[in-house]
Amino acid sequence: EVKTRDEIAGALRINPAKLGLVSRTDPTFPAPILEFRDGPIWAADAVERWAPTPTSTPVPARDRSQPRG
């Protein structure tokens, strides 16, 4: 099975632009199996093996009423 950038981004719950950044900067991210004019496609199983495992407790969102720091 193969997946497009949008499908993989959706499965990883990240923006497709972020997926592009990850694919360019993370040497452990699998290489696409083909590059089309519309974008790359990846082997679904390779991306699933690479995908970080979800944490058991979600990271809480920052309280936006408080300043950062």
Side-chain angles (χ1 to χ4, degrees):
E1 179 181 13
V2 295
K3 296 208 175 194
T4 65
R5 178 181 320 201
D6 289 340
E7 292 170 324
I8 291 174
L12 296 175
R13 299 180 143 204
I14 61 173
N15 183 299
K18 176 73 172 183
L19 179 63
L21 176 68
V22 170
S23 68
R24 288 189 309 274
T25 61
D26 185 342
T28 64
F29 191 79
I33 56 174
L34 283 174
E35 293 271 350
F36 290 110
R37 187 175 352 156
D38 294 338
I41 59 170
W42 286 268
D45 58 339
V47 175
E48 288 168 5
R49 283 192 306 271
W50 172 87
T53 56
T55 59
S56 55
T57 54
V59 176
R62 150 175 103 76
D63 182 357
R64 298 207 179 263
S65 65
Q66 300 296 317
R68 290 186 184 196

Short mmCIF file of all heavy atoms in Angstrom, two decimals:
data_model
loop_
_atom_site.label_atom_id
_atom_site.label_comp_id
_atom_site.label_asym_id
_atom_site.label_seq_id
_atom_site.Cartn_x
_atom_site.Cartn_y
_atom_site.Cartn_z
N GLU A 1 0.85 -1.18 0.00
CA GLU A 1 0.00 0.00 0.00
C GLU A 1 0.89 1.24 0.00
O GLU A 1 1.91 1.28 0.68
CB GLU A 1 -0.90 -0.02 1.24
CG GLU A 1 -1.79 1.17 1.33
CD GLU A 1 -2.67 1.15 2.58
OE1 GLU A 1 -2.42 0.36 3.50
OE2 GLU A 1 -3.59 1.96 2.61
N VAL A 2 0.49 2.24 -0.76
CA VAL A 2 1.22 3.50 -0.81
C VAL A 2 0.33 4.63 -0.33
O VAL A 2 -0.90 4.53 -0.40
CB VAL A 2 1.74 3.82 -2.23
CG1 VAL A 2 2.77 2.79 -2.67
CG2 VAL A 2 0.62 3.93 -3.22
N LYS A 3 0.97 5.70 0.18
CA LYS A 3 0.21 6.84 0.69
C LYS A 3 0.84 8.14 0.22
O LYS A 3 2.04 8.24 0.06
CB LYS A 3 0.17 6.81 2.21
CG LYS A 3 -0.58 5.60 2.74
CD LYS A 3 -1.19 5.86 4.05
CE LYS A 3 -2.02 4.64 4.42
NZ LYS A 3 -2.89 4.90 5.50
N THR A 4 -0.02 9.12 0.04
CA THR A 4 0.41 10.44 -0.38
C THR A 4 0.82 11.27 0.83
O THR A 4 0.60 10.88 1.98
CB THR A 4 -0.72 11.19 -1.10
OG1 THR A 4 -1.77 11.42 -0.17
CG2 THR A 4 -1.24 10.42 -2.30
N ARG A 5 1.38 12.44 0.57
CA ARG A 5 1.79 13.36 1.64
C ARG A 5 0.60 13.70 2.53
O ARG A 5 0.72 13.69 3.75
CB ARG A 5 2.37 14.62 1.03
CG ARG A 5 2.76 15.65 2.05
CD ARG A 5 3.30 16.88 1.41
NE ARG A 5 4.13 16.46 0.30
CZ ARG A 5 5.07 17.17 -0.26
NH1 ARG A 5 5.31 18.36 0.15
NH2 ARG A 5 5.77 16.71 -1.26
N ASP A 6 -0.55 14.01 1.93
CA ASP A 6 -1.73 14.37 2.73
C ASP A 6 -2.21 13.21 3.59
O ASP A 6 -2.61 13.41 4.74
CB ASP A 6 -2.86 14.87 1.84
CG ASP A 6 -2.59 16.23 1.24
OD1 ASP A 6 -1.74 16.97 1.79
OD2 ASP A 6 -3.22 16.56 0.22
N GLU A 7 -2.20 12.00 3.04
CA GLU A 7 -2.64 10.83 3.80
C GLU A 7 -1.71 10.56 4.98
O GLU A 7 -2.17 10.27 6.09
CB GLU A 7 -2.71 9.60 2.90
CG GLU A 7 -3.81 9.69 1.86
CD GLU A 7 -3.73 8.60 0.82
OE1 GLU A 7 -2.61 8.19 0.43
OE2 GLU A 7 -4.81 8.14 0.40
N ILE A 8 -0.41 10.68 4.75
CA ILE A 8 0.54 10.43 5.83
C ILE A 8 0.46 11.52 6.88
O ILE A 8 0.46 11.25 8.08
CB ILE A 8 1.97 10.28 5.29
CG1 ILE A 8 2.05 8.98 4.51
CG2 ILE A 8 3.00 10.32 6.41
CD1 ILE A 8 3.34 8.76 3.80
N ALA A 9 0.35 12.76 6.43
CA ALA A 9 0.23 13.87 7.38
C ALA A 9 -1.02 13.69 8.25
O ALA A 9 -0.98 13.90 9.46
CB ALA A 9 0.18 15.20 6.65
N GLY A 10 -2.11 13.28 7.64
CA GLY A 10 -3.33 13.05 8.40
C GLY A 10 -3.17 11.93 9.41
O GLY A 10 -3.61 12.04 10.56
N ALA A 11 -2.52 10.85 9.01
CA ALA A 11 -2.31 9.72 9.93
C ALA A 11 -1.40 10.11 11.09
O ALA A 11 -1.59 9.65 12.22
CB ALA A 11 -1.73 8.54 9.17
N LEU A 12 -0.41 10.96 10.82
CA LEU A 12 0.51 11.39 11.87
C LEU A 12 -0.01 12.60 12.65
O LEU A 12 0.61 13.03 13.61
CB LEU A 12 1.88 11.75 11.26
CG LEU A 12 2.63 10.60 10.59
CD1 LEU A 12 3.90 11.13 9.94
CD2 LEU A 12 2.96 9.51 11.60
N ARG A 13 -1.14 13.14 12.19
CA ARG A 13 -1.77 14.30 12.81
C ARG A 13 -0.86 15.52 12.80
O ARG A 13 -0.71 16.20 13.81
CB ARG A 13 -2.24 13.98 14.22
CG ARG A 13 -3.26 12.89 14.24
CD ARG A 13 -3.72 12.56 15.60
NE ARG A 13 -5.15 12.25 15.50
CZ ARG A 13 -5.99 12.36 16.47
NH1 ARG A 13 -5.61 12.77 17.63
NH2 ARG A 13 -7.25 12.05 16.29
N ILE A 14 -0.25 15.74 11.63
CA ILE A 14 0.58 16.92 11.44
C ILE A 14 0.19 17.59 10.13
O ILE A 14 -0.45 16.99 9.28
CB ILE A 14 2.09 16.60 11.46
CG1 ILE A 14 2.47 15.64 10.32
CG2 ILE A 14 2.53 16.07 12.80
CD1 ILE A 14 3.97 15.41 10.18
N ASN A 15 0.59 18.82 9.98
CA ASN A 15 0.35 19.58 8.77
C ASN A 15 1.20 19.00 7.64
O ASN A 15 2.34 18.61 7.87
CB ASN A 15 0.75 21.03 9.07
CG ASN A 15 0.48 21.96 7.94
OD1 ASN A 15 1.04 21.80 6.85
ND2 ASN A 15 -0.34 22.95 8.19
N PRO A 16 0.69 18.95 6.41
CA PRO A 16 1.52 18.45 5.30
C PRO A 16 2.84 19.22 5.13
O PRO A 16 3.85 18.63 4.75
CB PRO A 16 0.62 18.63 4.07
CG PRO A 16 -0.76 18.54 4.62
CD PRO A 16 -0.69 19.20 5.98
N ALA A 17 2.84 20.52 5.44
CA ALA A 17 4.09 21.28 5.36
C ALA A 17 5.09 20.77 6.40
O ALA A 17 6.29 20.68 6.13
CB ALA A 17 3.83 22.77 5.56
N LYS A 18 4.61 20.42 7.58
CA LYS A 18 5.48 19.87 8.63
C LYS A 18 6.03 18.52 8.18
O LYS A 18 7.19 18.20 8.43
CB LYS A 18 4.69 19.74 9.93
CG LYS A 18 5.43 19.09 11.05
CD LYS A 18 6.47 20.01 11.63
CE LYS A 18 7.06 19.39 12.88
NZ LYS A 18 8.02 20.26 13.53
N LEU A 19 5.22 17.73 7.50
CA LEU A 19 5.70 16.46 6.97
C LEU A 19 6.84 16.69 5.99
O LEU A 19 7.82 15.96 5.99
CB LEU A 19 4.57 15.67 6.32
CG LEU A 19 4.98 14.33 5.71
CD1 LEU A 19 5.52 13.38 6.78
CD2 LEU A 19 3.83 13.71 4.96
N GLY A 20 6.71 17.71 5.16
CA GLY A 20 7.78 18.04 4.23
C GLY A 20 9.07 18.38 4.96
O GLY A 20 10.16 17.94 4.58
N LEU A 21 8.95 19.14 6.04
CA LEU A 21 10.12 19.49 6.85
C LEU A 21 10.73 18.23 7.48
O LEU A 21 11.95 18.04 7.43
CB LEU A 21 9.73 20.48 7.94
CG LEU A 21 10.82 20.86 8.92
CD1 LEU A 21 11.90 21.67 8.21
CD2 LEU A 21 10.25 21.64 10.08
N VAL A 22 9.90 17.38 8.03
CA VAL A 22 10.39 16.14 8.65
C VAL A 22 11.09 15.27 7.61
O VAL A 22 12.18 14.75 7.86
CB VAL A 22 9.23 15.36 9.32
CG1 VAL A 22 9.66 13.97 9.74
CG2 VAL A 22 8.69 16.14 10.51
N SER A 23 10.49 15.14 6.44
CA SER A 23 11.09 14.27 5.42
C SER A 23 12.44 14.80 4.93
O SER A 23 13.30 14.03 4.53
CB SER A 23 10.13 14.06 4.26
OG SER A 23 9.94 15.25 3.53
N ARG A 24 12.62 16.13 4.97
CA ARG A 24 13.90 16.72 4.53
C ARG A 24 14.96 16.72 5.62
O ARG A 24 16.14 16.68 5.33
CB ARG A 24 13.69 18.16 4.06
CG ARG A 24 12.97 18.28 2.75
CD ARG A 24 12.98 19.71 2.22
NE ARG A 24 12.53 20.71 3.18
CZ ARG A 24 11.26 21.06 3.39
NH1 ARG A 24 10.30 20.47 2.70
NH2 ARG A 24 10.94 21.99 4.26
N THR A 25 14.55 16.80 6.89
CA THR A 25 15.52 17.00 7.97
C THR A 25 15.76 15.79 8.86
O THR A 25 16.75 15.75 9.57
CB THR A 25 15.09 18.18 8.86
OG1 THR A 25 13.81 17.89 9.44
CG2 THR A 25 15.02 19.47 8.07
N ASP A 26 14.86 14.82 8.85
CA ASP A 26 15.02 13.64 9.71
C ASP A 26 15.60 12.49 8.88
O ASP A 26 14.90 11.92 8.04
CB ASP A 26 13.68 13.23 10.32
CG ASP A 26 13.80 12.10 11.32
OD1 ASP A 26 14.83 11.38 11.32
OD2 ASP A 26 12.85 11.90 12.09
N PRO A 27 16.87 12.14 9.13
CA PRO A 27 17.48 11.08 8.32
C PRO A 27 16.85 9.70 8.54
O PRO A 27 17.03 8.81 7.72
CB PRO A 27 18.94 11.09 8.76
CG PRO A 27 18.96 11.76 10.08
CD PRO A 27 17.78 12.70 10.10
N THR A 28 16.07 9.53 9.62
CA THR A 28 15.44 8.24 9.86
C THR A 28 14.09 8.11 9.17
O THR A 28 13.53 7.02 9.11
CB THR A 28 15.24 8.00 11.38
OG1 THR A 28 14.33 8.98 11.90
CG2 THR A 28 16.57 8.08 12.12
N PHE A 29 13.57 9.22 8.64
CA PHE A 29 12.28 9.16 7.94
C PHE A 29 12.48 8.43 6.62
O PHE A 29 13.44 8.68 5.90
CB PHE A 29 11.74 10.57 7.69
CG PHE A 29 10.32 10.57 7.21
CD1 PHE A 29 9.28 10.40 8.10
CD2 PHE A 29 10.03 10.73 5.87
CE1 PHE A 29 7.96 10.40 7.66
CE2 PHE A 29 8.71 10.74 5.41
CZ PHE A 29 7.68 10.57 6.32
N PRO A 30 11.58 7.50 6.28
CA PRO A 30 11.76 6.72 5.05
C PRO A 30 11.71 7.59 3.79
O PRO A 30 10.96 8.56 3.72
CB PRO A 30 10.59 5.73 5.07
CG PRO A 30 9.69 6.14 6.15
CD PRO A 30 10.38 7.13 7.02
N ALA A 31 12.49 7.23 2.83
CA ALA A 31 12.50 7.92 1.54
C ALA A 31 11.24 7.55 0.77
O ALA A 31 10.73 6.44 0.89
CB ALA A 31 13.74 7.52 0.75
N PRO A 32 10.73 8.47 -0.03
CA PRO A 32 9.56 8.13 -0.85
C PRO A 32 9.94 7.08 -1.89
O PRO A 32 11.09 6.99 -2.31
CB PRO A 32 9.19 9.45 -1.52
CG PRO A 32 10.33 10.36 -1.33
CD PRO A 32 11.16 9.84 -0.21
N ILE A 33 8.96 6.26 -2.25
CA ILE A 33 9.25 5.23 -3.25
C ILE A 33 9.15 5.78 -4.66
O ILE A 33 9.79 5.25 -5.57
CB ILE A 33 8.37 3.98 -3.06
CG1 ILE A 33 6.90 4.33 -3.11
CG2 ILE A 33 8.71 3.27 -1.78
CD1 ILE A 33 5.98 3.12 -3.07
N LEU A 34 8.36 6.84 -4.84
CA LEU A 34 8.24 7.51 -6.15
C LEU A 34 7.99 8.99 -5.93
O LEU A 34 7.38 9.39 -4.93
CB LEU A 34 7.06 6.94 -6.95
CG LEU A 34 7.26 5.59 -7.62
CD1 LEU A 34 5.95 5.13 -8.23
CD2 LEU A 34 8.32 5.66 -8.69
N GLU A 35 8.44 9.78 -6.88
CA GLU A 35 8.18 11.22 -6.87
C GLU A 35 7.35 11.55 -8.11
O GLU A 35 7.80 11.33 -9.23
CB GLU A 35 9.49 12.00 -6.93
CG GLU A 35 10.37 11.86 -5.71
CD GLU A 35 10.06 12.88 -4.63
OE1 GLU A 35 9.30 13.83 -4.89
OE2 GLU A 35 10.60 12.71 -3.54
N PHE A 36 6.15 12.06 -7.90
CA PHE A 36 5.30 12.50 -8.98
C PHE A 36 5.28 14.03 -9.01
O PHE A 36 5.72 14.67 -8.05
CB PHE A 36 3.86 11.99 -8.80
CG PHE A 36 3.71 10.52 -8.99
CD1 PHE A 36 3.45 9.69 -7.92
CD2 PHE A 36 3.83 9.95 -10.25
CE1 PHE A 36 3.30 8.33 -8.09
CE2 PHE A 36 3.69 8.58 -10.43
CZ PHE A 36 3.43 7.77 -9.35
N ARG A 37 4.78 14.60 -10.07
CA ARG A 37 4.66 16.05 -10.15
C ARG A 37 3.79 16.58 -9.01
O ARG A 37 4.03 17.66 -8.50
CB ARG A 37 4.05 16.44 -11.50
CG ARG A 37 4.03 17.90 -11.74
CD ARG A 37 3.54 18.29 -13.11
NE ARG A 37 3.35 17.15 -14.01
CZ ARG A 37 2.55 17.13 -15.03
NH1 ARG A 37 1.84 18.19 -15.33
NH2 ARG A 37 2.44 16.08 -15.80
N ASP A 38 2.78 15.80 -8.62
CA ASP A 38 1.89 16.22 -7.53
C ASP A 38 2.49 15.99 -6.15
O ASP A 38 1.91 16.40 -5.15
CB ASP A 38 0.56 15.46 -7.62
CG ASP A 38 -0.23 15.84 -8.85
OD1 ASP A 38 0.03 16.93 -9.40
OD2 ASP A 38 -1.09 15.06 -9.26
N GLY A 39 3.61 15.30 -6.07
CA GLY A 39 4.25 15.05 -4.78
C GLY A 39 4.69 13.62 -4.64
O GLY A 39 4.38 12.76 -5.47
N PRO A 40 5.42 13.35 -3.57
CA PRO A 40 5.95 12.00 -3.35
C PRO A 40 4.89 11.05 -2.80
O PRO A 40 3.87 11.47 -2.26
CB PRO A 40 7.05 12.24 -2.32
CG PRO A 40 6.61 13.45 -1.57
CD PRO A 40 5.87 14.30 -2.56
N ILE A 41 5.17 9.76 -2.93
CA ILE A 41 4.37 8.72 -2.27
C ILE A 41 5.33 7.82 -1.51
O ILE A 41 6.48 7.63 -1.90
CB ILE A 41 3.48 7.91 -3.24
CG1 ILE A 41 4.32 7.22 -4.31
CG2 ILE A 41 2.41 8.77 -3.85
CD1 ILE A 41 3.52 6.22 -5.14
N TRP A 42 4.86 7.32 -0.38
CA TRP A 42 5.66 6.48 0.49
C TRP A 42 4.99 5.12 0.66
O TRP A 42 3.77 5.00 0.53
CB TRP A 42 5.77 7.10 1.88
CG TRP A 42 6.67 8.27 1.97
CD1 TRP A 42 7.99 8.28 2.29
CD2 TRP A 42 6.32 9.65 1.79
NE1 TRP A 42 8.49 9.55 2.31
CE2 TRP A 42 7.47 10.42 2.00
CE3 TRP A 42 5.14 10.31 1.46
CZ2 TRP A 42 7.49 11.80 1.90
CZ3 TRP A 42 5.15 11.70 1.36
CH2 TRP A 42 6.32 12.40 1.58
N ALA A 43 5.79 4.14 1.00
CA ALA A 43 5.25 2.83 1.39
C ALA A 43 4.63 3.01 2.78
O ALA A 43 5.29 3.47 3.71
CB ALA A 43 6.35 1.79 1.42
N ALA A 44 3.37 2.67 2.90
CA ALA A 44 2.64 2.88 4.16
C ALA A 44 3.31 2.14 5.31
O ALA A 44 3.43 2.69 6.41
CB ALA A 44 1.19 2.43 4.01
N ASP A 45 3.75 0.91 5.09
CA ASP A 45 4.35 0.14 6.19
C ASP A 45 5.67 0.76 6.67
O ASP A 45 5.98 0.73 7.86
CB ASP A 45 4.52 -1.33 5.82
CG ASP A 45 5.39 -1.54 4.59
OD1 ASP A 45 5.55 -0.61 3.79
OD2 ASP A 45 5.91 -2.66 4.44
N ALA A 46 6.44 1.36 5.77
CA ALA A 46 7.70 2.00 6.17
C ALA A 46 7.44 3.20 7.06
O ALA A 46 8.11 3.39 8.07
CB ALA A 46 8.50 2.42 4.94
N VAL A 47 6.43 3.98 6.72
CA VAL A 47 6.10 5.15 7.54
C VAL A 47 5.52 4.70 8.88
O VAL A 47 5.83 5.28 9.92
CB VAL A 47 5.14 6.09 6.79
CG1 VAL A 47 4.71 7.25 7.68
CG2 VAL A 47 5.80 6.62 5.53
N GLU A 48 4.71 3.66 8.88
CA GLU A 48 4.14 3.15 10.13
C GLU A 48 5.24 2.65 11.07
O GLU A 48 5.17 2.85 12.27
CB GLU A 48 3.13 2.04 9.85
CG GLU A 48 1.85 2.57 9.23
CD GLU A 48 0.95 1.48 8.68
OE1 GLU A 48 1.27 0.27 8.85
OE2 GLU A 48 -0.05 1.84 8.06
N ARG A 49 6.28 2.01 10.52
CA ARG A 49 7.39 1.57 11.37
C ARG A 49 8.16 2.75 11.92
O ARG A 49 8.66 2.72 13.03
CB ARG A 49 8.33 0.66 10.58
CG ARG A 49 7.82 -0.74 10.38
CD ARG A 49 8.90 -1.68 9.85
NE ARG A 49 9.53 -1.19 8.63
CZ ARG A 49 9.10 -1.44 7.39
NH1 ARG A 49 8.02 -2.18 7.23
NH2 ARG A 49 9.73 -0.96 6.35
N TRP A 50 8.27 3.83 11.13
CA TRP A 50 9.00 5.01 11.57
C TRP A 50 8.22 5.82 12.60
O TRP A 50 8.81 6.40 13.50
CB TRP A 50 9.30 5.92 10.36
CG TRP A 50 9.87 7.23 10.78
CD1 TRP A 50 11.17 7.51 10.99
CD2 TRP A 50 9.14 8.43 11.08
NE1 TRP A 50 11.31 8.83 11.40
CE2 TRP A 50 10.07 9.40 11.45
CE3 TRP A 50 7.79 8.76 11.06
CZ2 TRP A 50 9.70 10.70 11.82
CZ3 TRP A 50 7.41 10.05 11.42
CH2 TRP A 50 8.37 11.00 11.79
N ALA A 51 6.90 5.86 12.46
CA ALA A 51 6.05 6.77 13.25
C ALA A 51 6.31 6.64 14.74
O ALA A 51 6.39 5.54 15.27
CB ALA A 51 4.59 6.49 12.95
N PRO A 52 6.45 7.80 15.40
CA PRO A 52 6.61 7.75 16.85
C PRO A 52 5.36 7.15 17.50
O PRO A 52 4.25 7.34 17.01
CB PRO A 52 6.78 9.21 17.25
CG PRO A 52 6.49 10.03 16.06
CD PRO A 52 6.40 9.13 14.87
N THR A 53 5.58 6.43 18.57
CA THR A 53 4.44 5.84 19.27
C THR A 53 3.74 6.91 20.08
O THR A 53 4.39 7.78 20.66
CB THR A 53 4.89 4.70 20.20
OG1 THR A 53 5.87 5.22 21.09
CG2 THR A 53 5.47 3.55 19.42
N PRO A 54 2.43 6.89 20.10
CA PRO A 54 1.71 7.91 20.86
C PRO A 54 1.98 7.76 22.35
O PRO A 54 2.15 6.65 22.86
CB PRO A 54 0.24 7.64 20.54
CG PRO A 54 0.19 6.31 19.89
CD PRO A 54 1.56 5.96 19.43
N THR A 55 2.05 8.86 23.03
CA THR A 55 2.26 8.82 24.47
C THR A 55 0.96 8.44 25.15
O THR A 55 -0.13 8.68 24.63
CB THR A 55 2.73 10.18 25.00
OG1 THR A 55 1.74 11.15 24.67
CG2 THR A 55 4.07 10.58 24.41
N SER A 56 1.06 7.87 26.33
CA SER A 56 -0.14 7.44 27.03
C SER A 56 -0.91 8.63 27.59
O SER A 56 -2.12 8.58 27.73
CB SER A 56 0.22 6.47 28.16
OG SER A 56 1.17 7.08 29.02
N THR A 57 -0.21 9.70 27.92
CA THR A 57 -0.90 10.89 28.41
C THR A 57 -0.61 12.04 27.45
O THR A 57 0.54 12.33 27.15
CB THR A 57 -0.41 11.27 29.83
OG1 THR A 57 1.00 11.40 29.81
CG2 THR A 57 -0.82 10.24 30.84
N PRO A 58 -1.65 12.69 26.97
CA PRO A 58 -1.43 13.79 26.04
C PRO A 58 -0.73 14.96 26.72
O PRO A 58 -0.90 15.19 27.92
CB PRO A 58 -2.84 14.16 25.59
CG PRO A 58 -3.76 13.57 26.58
CD PRO A 58 -3.04 12.44 27.25
N VAL A 59 0.03 15.69 25.95
CA VAL A 59 0.69 16.88 26.46
C VAL A 59 -0.36 17.98 26.57
O VAL A 59 -1.06 18.25 25.60
CB VAL A 59 1.83 17.32 25.51
CG1 VAL A 59 2.46 18.61 25.98
CG2 VAL A 59 2.85 16.21 25.38
N PRO A 60 -0.49 18.60 27.75
CA PRO A 60 -1.52 19.63 27.88
C PRO A 60 -1.17 20.87 27.07
O PRO A 60 -0.01 21.21 26.89
CB PRO A 60 -1.52 19.94 29.38
CG PRO A 60 -0.18 19.51 29.86
CD PRO A 60 0.26 18.39 28.96
N ALA A 61 -2.19 21.52 26.57
CA ALA A 61 -1.99 22.77 25.84
C ALA A 61 -1.58 23.86 26.82
O ALA A 61 -1.97 23.85 27.99
CB ALA A 61 -3.27 23.16 25.13
N ARG A 62 -0.79 24.78 26.34
CA ARG A 62 -0.35 25.89 27.18
C ARG A 62 -1.53 26.80 27.47
O ARG A 62 -2.39 27.02 26.63
CB ARG A 62 0.78 26.59 26.43
CG ARG A 62 0.95 28.03 26.66
CD ARG A 62 2.17 28.57 25.95
NE ARG A 62 1.88 29.30 24.74
CZ ARG A 62 1.40 30.54 24.72
NH1 ARG A 62 1.14 31.16 25.83
NH2 ARG A 62 1.18 31.14 23.59
N ASP A 63 -1.55 27.35 28.68
CA ASP A 63 -2.59 28.31 29.06
C ASP A 63 -2.27 29.62 28.36
O ASP A 63 -1.33 30.32 28.71
CB ASP A 63 -2.59 28.47 30.58
CG ASP A 63 -3.70 29.44 31.05
OD1 ASP A 63 -4.41 29.99 30.19
OD2 ASP A 63 -3.81 29.62 32.27
N ARG A 64 -3.05 29.97 27.38
CA ARG A 64 -2.75 31.13 26.55
C ARG A 64 -3.02 32.45 27.28
O ARG A 64 -2.68 33.52 26.78
CB ARG A 64 -3.51 31.06 25.25
CG ARG A 64 -3.08 29.83 24.45
CD ARG A 64 -3.26 30.03 23.00
NE ARG A 64 -2.82 28.86 22.26
CZ ARG A 64 -1.62 28.76 21.70
NH1 ARG A 64 -0.75 29.71 21.82
NH2 ARG A 64 -1.29 27.67 21.03
N SER A 65 -3.65 32.40 28.45
CA SER A 65 -3.87 33.62 29.20
C SER A 65 -2.62 34.01 30.00
O SER A 65 -2.53 35.11 30.51
CB SER A 65 -5.06 33.48 30.15
OG SER A 65 -4.77 32.50 31.14
N GLN A 66 -1.65 33.09 30.08
CA GLN A 66 -0.41 33.33 30.81
C GLN A 66 0.72 33.62 29.82
O GLN A 66 0.78 33.02 28.75
CB GLN A 66 -0.04 32.11 31.66
CG GLN A 66 -1.08 31.73 32.68
CD GLN A 66 -1.25 32.83 33.72
OE1 GLN A 66 -0.27 33.40 34.20
NE2 GLN A 66 -2.50 33.14 34.04
N PRO A 67 1.66 34.52 30.18
CA PRO A 67 2.80 34.76 29.30
C PRO A 67 3.71 33.55 29.24
O PRO A 67 3.76 32.74 30.17
CB PRO A 67 3.51 35.96 29.93
CG PRO A 67 3.05 35.97 31.34
CD PRO A 67 1.69 35.33 31.38
N ARG A 68 4.42 33.42 28.10
CA ARG A 68 5.38 32.32 27.97
C ARG A 68 6.54 32.55 28.89
O ARG A 68 6.90 33.64 29.21
CB ARG A 68 5.90 32.25 26.54
CG ARG A 68 4.87 31.79 25.57
CD ARG A 68 5.51 31.62 24.23
NE ARG A 68 4.46 31.27 23.26
CZ ARG A 68 4.73 30.76 22.10
NH1 ARG A 68 5.95 30.56 21.71
NH2 ARG A 68 3.74 30.46 21.28
N GLY A 69 7.20 31.47 29.25
CA GLY A 69 8.41 31.61 30.01
C GLY A 69 8.40 30.75 31.17
O GLY A 69 8.93 30.26 31.94
#
